[in-house]
Amino acid sequence: MVSVPFGDAVLGEVTMKGLYFQQSSTNEEITFVFQERENLPVTEDNYVKLQVKACALSQINTKLLAEMKMEKEFFPVGREVAGIVLDVGSKVSFFQPDDEVVGILPLDSEDPGLCEAVRVHEHYLVHKPEKVTWTEAAGTIRDGLRAYTALHYLSHLSPGKSVLIMDGASTLGTIAIQLAHHRGAKVISTACSLEDKQFLERFRPPIARVIDVSNGKAHVAESCLEETGGLGVDIVLDAGVRLYNKDDEPAEKLQLLPHKHDIITLLGVGGHWVTTEENLQLDPPDSHCLFLKGAAVAFLNDEVWNLSNVQQGKYLYILFPTDLNFWLEMYLLRILKDVMEKLSTGVFRPQLDEPIPLYEAKVTMEVVQKNQGRKKQVVHF
């Protein structure tokens, strides 16, 4: 593939362009480029050819790709897609041409979602409700999956439980708050700025307590214990935690993130701590405290649902069924269908930015990769 400016297709040879990223040899800098793509081959077996109508942008986990030995010169960008089925393979049973669908491309997909058409296995797609727009569908599907994984499968959310959702104004936090409210939980959330605090205070039903951590004065553990009468919260979904003393932490972590000891303190008996901190370290006294509380710690890995299909499934092939169809149908498809259903009935209202055209995707993706901006960015075709 050759890097070319967007829109310079050669008639008869190339009909589409897709966005890819190229990583430097030091694995520090990422460059996004549009690449000419060959016409997609005839759809076979369980694969669907999809005309992309919208694609949401999310950060690319380069560390995970390196650990999974999936590094290559150019890697496709964009995985949360919504579109119209153009063609189906001979073994496809769930879809037919002209169906409107939404889904998440697998980690090892060779096609970028930021392209006019892609190929995707039918078990990564669900039907898009008629009431849901392309932008809403693509912009909600991934955070909906993450919220369900955290609150239903990792912490067993149920009515009456108290839930602390850190950084509730983030795209994940927004969906998680709405899911917790829908299930009848009592929600507490933290705000990282005055704007975030005002946003969270507009939720209906209202959040039980919004803890403003932007000025560094609020103490999360004390606020949660006060709100729960000293019992502690049943579920914690963090947005990262501080692991060390002030002198050893990066400056940006000092102010906004709680220390791991604060999370352990505010967690109630039998509680569940769902963490996004991939390098969480618990010392023996921390483990002993969690043991005394009968509490559990779970890790929210955004890609755990599809890692078993990557290469040899080197980390997960023992834990999950080797039959990918069974695993996806029982887990992924069930969640994606429920996310779309709740989106269509108004349970979920995602925090989306204004849709952008494809030619702006390169610049916007650079911003997303640097974790700048609060709203979900979606490319509309």
Side-chain angles (χ1 to χ4, degrees), residues 190-222:
T190 62
C192 299
S193 67
L194 178 59
E195 292 77 11
D196 287 354
K197 182 174 183 291
Q198 294 171 343
F199 170 78
L200 293 173
E201 289 175 341
R202 291 195 294 267
F203 265 97
R204 293 294 177 269
I207 295 175
R209 185 162 190 163
V210 178
I211 306 170
D212 186 359
V213 298
S214 60
N215 55 18
K217 297 180 180 179
H219 197 281
V220 176
E222 291 179 0

Short mmCIF file of all heavy atoms in Angstrom, two decimals, residues 190-222:
data_model
loop_
_atom_site.label_atom_id
_atom_site.label_comp_id
_atom_site.label_asym_id
_atom_site.label_seq_id
_atom_site.Cartn_x
_atom_site.Cartn_y
_atom_site.Cartn_z
N THR A 190 -17.68 11.00 40.39
CA THR A 190 -16.71 12.08 40.54
C THR A 190 -16.69 12.93 39.28
O THR A 190 -16.94 12.45 38.17
CB THR A 190 -15.30 11.54 40.80
OG1 THR A 190 -14.87 10.76 39.67
CG2 THR A 190 -15.26 10.69 42.04
N ALA A 191 -16.39 14.21 39.47
CA ALA A 191 -16.29 15.16 38.36
C ALA A 191 -14.89 15.75 38.34
O ALA A 191 -14.35 16.12 39.39
CB ALA A 191 -17.33 16.27 38.52
N CYS A 192 -14.31 15.84 37.15
CA CYS A 192 -12.93 16.31 37.02
C CYS A 192 -12.82 17.79 36.68
O CYS A 192 -11.72 18.31 36.52
CB CYS A 192 -12.19 15.49 35.96
SG CYS A 192 -12.09 13.73 36.35
N SER A 193 -13.95 18.47 36.54
CA SER A 193 -13.95 19.90 36.25
C SER A 193 -15.32 20.45 36.60
O SER A 193 -16.29 19.70 36.83
CB SER A 193 -13.65 20.16 34.76
OG SER A 193 -14.71 19.68 33.94
N LEU A 194 -15.42 21.77 36.62
CA LEU A 194 -16.70 22.41 36.91
C LEU A 194 -17.72 22.06 35.83
O LEU A 194 -18.90 21.83 36.13
CB LEU A 194 -16.52 23.92 37.00
CG LEU A 194 -17.80 24.74 37.24
CD1 LEU A 194 -18.47 24.32 38.55
CD2 LEU A 194 -17.48 26.23 37.26
N GLU A 195 -17.27 22.03 34.57
CA GLU A 195 -18.18 21.67 33.48
C GLU A 195 -18.71 20.25 33.64
O GLU A 195 -19.90 19.99 33.42
CB GLU A 195 -17.46 21.82 32.13
CG GLU A 195 -17.11 23.23 31.74
CD GLU A 195 -15.90 23.77 32.49
OE1 GLU A 195 -15.20 22.97 33.17
OE2 GLU A 195 -15.65 25.00 32.43
N ASP A 196 -17.82 19.33 34.04
CA ASP A 196 -18.25 17.95 34.26
C ASP A 196 -19.26 17.87 35.41
O ASP A 196 -20.24 17.12 35.35
CB ASP A 196 -17.05 17.06 34.58
CG ASP A 196 -16.19 16.78 33.35
OD1 ASP A 196 -16.61 17.18 32.25
OD2 ASP A 196 -15.11 16.18 33.50
N LYS A 197 -19.03 18.64 36.46
CA LYS A 197 -19.94 18.65 37.62
C LYS A 197 -21.32 19.13 37.20
O LYS A 197 -22.35 18.53 37.57
CB LYS A 197 -19.37 19.54 38.71
CG LYS A 197 -20.20 19.60 39.99
CD LYS A 197 -19.48 20.40 41.06
CE LYS A 197 -20.26 20.41 42.37
NZ LYS A 197 -21.52 21.18 42.27
N GLN A 198 -21.37 20.19 36.41
CA GLN A 198 -22.65 20.71 35.94
C GLN A 198 -23.35 19.71 35.04
O GLN A 198 -24.58 19.55 35.09
CB GLN A 198 -22.44 22.04 35.22
CG GLN A 198 -21.94 23.15 36.14
CD GLN A 198 -21.53 24.40 35.38
OE1 GLN A 198 -21.31 24.37 34.17
NE2 GLN A 198 -21.42 25.51 36.10
N PHE A 199 -22.57 19.02 34.21
CA PHE A 199 -23.15 18.00 33.33
C PHE A 199 -23.76 16.86 34.14
O PHE A 199 -24.89 16.42 33.88
CB PHE A 199 -22.06 17.47 32.40
CG PHE A 199 -22.46 16.25 31.61
CD1 PHE A 199 -23.27 16.36 30.50
CD2 PHE A 199 -22.01 14.98 31.99
CE1 PHE A 199 -23.65 15.23 29.76
CE2 PHE A 199 -22.37 13.85 31.27
CZ PHE A 199 -23.20 13.98 30.16
N LEU A 200 -23.05 16.39 35.16
CA LEU A 200 -23.53 15.28 35.97
C LEU A 200 -24.75 15.67 36.80
O LEU A 200 -25.64 14.84 37.04
CB LEU A 200 -22.41 14.78 36.89
CG LEU A 200 -21.22 14.12 36.19
CD1 LEU A 200 -20.11 13.83 37.20
CD2 LEU A 200 -21.64 12.83 35.50
N GLU A 201 -24.81 16.90 37.21
CA GLU A 201 -25.95 17.35 38.03
C GLU A 201 -27.23 17.47 37.22
O GLU A 201 -28.32 17.60 37.79
CB GLU A 201 -25.61 18.69 38.69
CG GLU A 201 -24.57 18.55 39.81
CD GLU A 201 -24.15 19.90 40.38
OE1 GLU A 201 -24.37 20.92 39.70
OE2 GLU A 201 -23.58 19.91 41.50
N ARG A 202 -27.12 17.41 35.89
CA ARG A 202 -28.32 17.48 35.04
C ARG A 202 -28.91 16.11 34.75
O ARG A 202 -29.94 16.00 34.07
CB ARG A 202 -27.98 18.18 33.71
CG ARG A 202 -27.66 19.66 33.86
CD ARG A 202 -27.69 20.36 32.51
NE ARG A 202 -26.64 19.89 31.63
CZ ARG A 202 -25.44 20.47 31.53
NH1 ARG A 202 -25.15 21.52 32.28
NH2 ARG A 202 -24.54 19.99 30.70
N PHE A 203 -28.32 15.03 35.27
CA PHE A 203 -28.85 13.69 35.04
C PHE A 203 -30.22 13.53 35.68
O PHE A 203 -30.48 14.03 36.77
CB PHE A 203 -27.91 12.64 35.63
CG PHE A 203 -26.93 12.07 34.63
CD1 PHE A 203 -25.64 12.57 34.53
CD2 PHE A 203 -27.31 11.04 33.79
CE1 PHE A 203 -24.74 12.05 33.63
CE2 PHE A 203 -26.42 10.51 32.87
CZ PHE A 203 -25.13 11.02 32.78
N ARG A 204 -31.08 12.82 34.96
CA ARG A 204 -32.39 12.47 35.47
C ARG A 204 -32.63 10.98 35.21
O ARG A 204 -32.60 10.56 34.08
CB ARG A 204 -33.49 13.30 34.79
CG ARG A 204 -33.44 14.78 35.13
CD ARG A 204 -33.74 15.01 36.63
NE ARG A 204 -33.64 16.42 36.99
CZ ARG A 204 -32.54 17.01 37.42
NH1 ARG A 204 -31.42 16.31 37.53
NH2 ARG A 204 -32.54 18.28 37.73
N PRO A 205 -32.83 10.18 36.30
CA PRO A 205 -32.90 10.58 37.70
C PRO A 205 -31.56 11.13 38.20
O PRO A 205 -30.52 10.78 37.64
CB PRO A 205 -33.27 9.28 38.42
CG PRO A 205 -32.79 8.19 37.51
CD PRO A 205 -32.99 8.71 36.13
N PRO A 206 -31.60 11.96 39.21
CA PRO A 206 -30.37 12.63 39.66
C PRO A 206 -29.38 11.67 40.30
O PRO A 206 -29.76 10.63 40.88
CB PRO A 206 -30.89 13.65 40.69
CG PRO A 206 -32.19 13.08 41.16
CD PRO A 206 -32.79 12.37 39.99
N ILE A 207 -28.12 12.01 40.19
CA ILE A 207 -27.06 11.26 40.85
C ILE A 207 -27.10 11.56 42.34
O ILE A 207 -27.29 12.71 42.76
CB ILE A 207 -25.69 11.63 40.25
CG1 ILE A 207 -25.63 11.19 38.78
CG2 ILE A 207 -24.54 11.02 41.02
CD1 ILE A 207 -24.37 11.61 38.06
N ALA A 208 -26.92 10.53 43.17
CA ALA A 208 -27.01 10.69 44.62
C ALA A 208 -26.00 11.71 45.12
O ALA A 208 -26.30 12.54 45.98
CB ALA A 208 -26.80 9.34 45.31
N ARG A 209 -24.80 11.67 44.58
CA ARG A 209 -23.77 12.62 45.01
C ARG A 209 -22.74 12.77 43.91
O ARG A 209 -22.27 11.79 43.34
CB ARG A 209 -23.10 12.15 46.29
CG ARG A 209 -22.10 13.15 46.87
CD ARG A 209 -21.82 12.84 48.32
NE ARG A 209 -21.07 13.88 48.98
CZ ARG A 209 -20.98 14.00 50.30
NH1 ARG A 209 -21.62 13.15 51.09
NH2 ARG A 209 -20.26 14.95 50.85
N VAL A 210 -22.39 14.02 43.61
CA VAL A 210 -21.33 14.33 42.67
C VAL A 210 -20.16 14.89 43.46
O VAL A 210 -20.29 15.90 44.15
CB VAL A 210 -21.78 15.35 41.60
CG1 VAL A 210 -20.62 15.68 40.67
CG2 VAL A 210 -22.96 14.80 40.81
N ILE A 211 -19.01 14.24 43.37
CA ILE A 211 -17.82 14.63 44.13
C ILE A 211 -16.88 15.36 43.17
O ILE A 211 -16.34 14.76 42.24
CB ILE A 211 -17.12 13.41 44.73
CG1 ILE A 211 -18.10 12.59 45.56
CG2 ILE A 211 -15.93 13.84 45.57
CD1 ILE A 211 -17.55 11.24 46.01
N ASP A 212 -16.70 16.64 43.39
CA ASP A 212 -15.83 17.45 42.53
C ASP A 212 -14.39 17.31 43.00
O ASP A 212 -14.02 17.80 44.06
CB ASP A 212 -16.28 18.92 42.58
CG ASP A 212 -15.51 19.80 41.60
OD1 ASP A 212 -14.63 19.27 40.90
OD2 ASP A 212 -15.80 21.01 41.54
N VAL A 213 -13.58 16.62 42.19
CA VAL A 213 -12.18 16.40 42.55
C VAL A 213 -11.24 17.35 41.82
O VAL A 213 -10.02 17.21 41.92
CB VAL A 213 -11.78 14.93 42.26
CG1 VAL A 213 -12.61 13.97 43.08
CG2 VAL A 213 -11.90 14.62 40.77
N SER A 214 -11.80 18.31 41.09
CA SER A 214 -10.96 19.17 40.25
C SER A 214 -10.06 20.09 41.05
O SER A 214 -8.97 20.44 40.61
CB SER A 214 -11.84 20.00 39.31
OG SER A 214 -12.74 20.83 40.05
N ASN A 215 -10.48 20.48 42.27
CA ASN A 215 -9.66 21.40 43.06
C ASN A 215 -8.76 20.67 44.06
O ASN A 215 -7.99 21.31 44.78
CB ASN A 215 -10.55 22.40 43.80
CG ASN A 215 -11.61 21.72 44.66
OD1 ASN A 215 -11.49 20.54 44.99
ND2 ASN A 215 -12.65 22.46 45.01
N GLY A 216 -8.85 19.36 44.10
CA GLY A 216 -7.99 18.58 44.98
C GLY A 216 -8.39 18.61 46.44
O GLY A 216 -7.69 18.05 47.28
N LYS A 217 -9.51 19.24 46.77
CA LYS A 217 -9.92 19.36 48.17
C LYS A 217 -10.85 18.25 48.62
O LYS A 217 -10.85 17.86 49.78
CB LYS A 217 -10.57 20.73 48.40
CG LYS A 217 -9.63 21.91 48.16
CD LYS A 217 -10.36 23.23 48.41
CE LYS A 217 -9.42 24.42 48.17
NZ LYS A 217 -10.10 25.72 48.38
N ALA A 218 -11.69 17.75 47.70
CA ALA A 218 -12.66 16.72 48.08
C ALA A 218 -11.95 15.39 48.32
O ALA A 218 -11.03 15.02 47.60
CB ALA A 218 -13.71 16.57 46.99
N HIS A 219 -12.40 14.68 49.35
CA HIS A 219 -11.84 13.37 49.67
C HIS A 219 -12.86 12.31 49.26
O HIS A 219 -13.95 12.22 49.86
CB HIS A 219 -11.51 13.27 51.16
CG HIS A 219 -10.58 12.14 51.48
ND1 HIS A 219 -11.02 10.83 51.57
CD2 HIS A 219 -9.24 12.11 51.71
CE1 HIS A 219 -10.00 10.04 51.87
NE2 HIS A 219 -8.91 10.79 51.96
N VAL A 220 -12.54 11.52 48.26
CA VAL A 220 -13.49 10.57 47.70
C VAL A 220 -13.96 9.55 48.73
O VAL A 220 -15.15 9.28 48.86
CB VAL A 220 -12.88 9.87 46.47
CG1 VAL A 220 -13.84 8.81 45.93
CG2 VAL A 220 -12.54 10.87 45.38
N ALA A 221 -13.02 8.96 49.48
CA ALA A 221 -13.39 7.93 50.45
C ALA A 221 -14.33 8.47 51.50
O ALA A 221 -15.36 7.86 51.83
CB ALA A 221 -12.13 7.35 51.10
N GLU A 222 -14.01 9.65 52.07
CA GLU A 222 -14.86 10.23 53.10
C GLU A 222 -16.25 10.55 52.56
O GLU A 222 -17.26 10.31 53.23
CB GLU A 222 -14.21 11.50 53.65
CG GLU A 222 -12.95 11.24 54.47
CD GLU A 222 -12.33 12.54 54.98
OE1 GLU A 222 -12.90 13.61 54.69
OE2 GLU A 222 -11.30 12.47 55.67
#
